Amino acid sequence: MQMFTSADLQRRTGDVQASATEAPVAITDYGKPRNVMLSVTEFARLKRAAGEGVPEELAARRRAFVRHVPDPLGYDVRDLGTAARQMADDALSGRTGEAVSAELAAVRARFGGVRS
């Protein structure tokens, strides 16, 4: 566990917070551990593991934002579940064989000999 002094916490708040995001850190005072700082995700995990509730303001999840990039095969990937099922059906039936082969060739060209 990484240790920071209380003076570190005052002078290097950003560094301490960045470390606590990765793993819990101990804050020492006069050489003795006094507090532990951890990420909200880890705090919520520990509360759930202990069978305790997580305060609602901490349990709220941020919405994920995904930049929409048109699919080269023409699938509407805004609904990934539907798109994945359609892609699987099309692949199994062979309907998109030529387009998939072209995509694979582009990937191989870009990343150098990726094999399927």
Side-chain angles (χ1 to χ4, degrees), residues 1-90:
M1 176 180 281
Q2 193 166 0
M3 308 282 264
F4 289 94
T5 66
S6 55
D8 289 333
L9 182 58
Q10 291 176 2
R11 286 191 308 263
R12 300 172 44 205
T13 302
D15 294 337
V16 176
Q17 288 181 359
S19 293
T21 299
E22 299 299 317
V25 299
I27 308 298
T28 63
D29 192 29
Y30 295 104
K32 295 181 182 178
R34 298 287 182 200
N35 302 95
V36 174
M37 183 183 289
L38 53 127
S39 69
V40 170
T41 303
E42 180 64 4
F43 175 78
R45 186 190 71 77
L46 291 171
K47 293 292 272 184
R48 288 184 188 105
E52 299 175 12
V54 177
E56 190 166 325
E57 62 272 14
L58 297 181
R61 296 186 173 245
R62 292 186 213 170
R63 291 186 58 186
F65 291 94
V66 178
R67 182 174 57 102
H68 178 67
V69 177
D71 180 71
L73 297 178
Y75 295 102
D76 181 358
V77 293
R78 289 175 291 187
D79 179 356
L80 290 177
T82 301
R85 283 187 292 279
Q86 186 178 0
M87 287 177 196
D89 290 344
D90 289 350

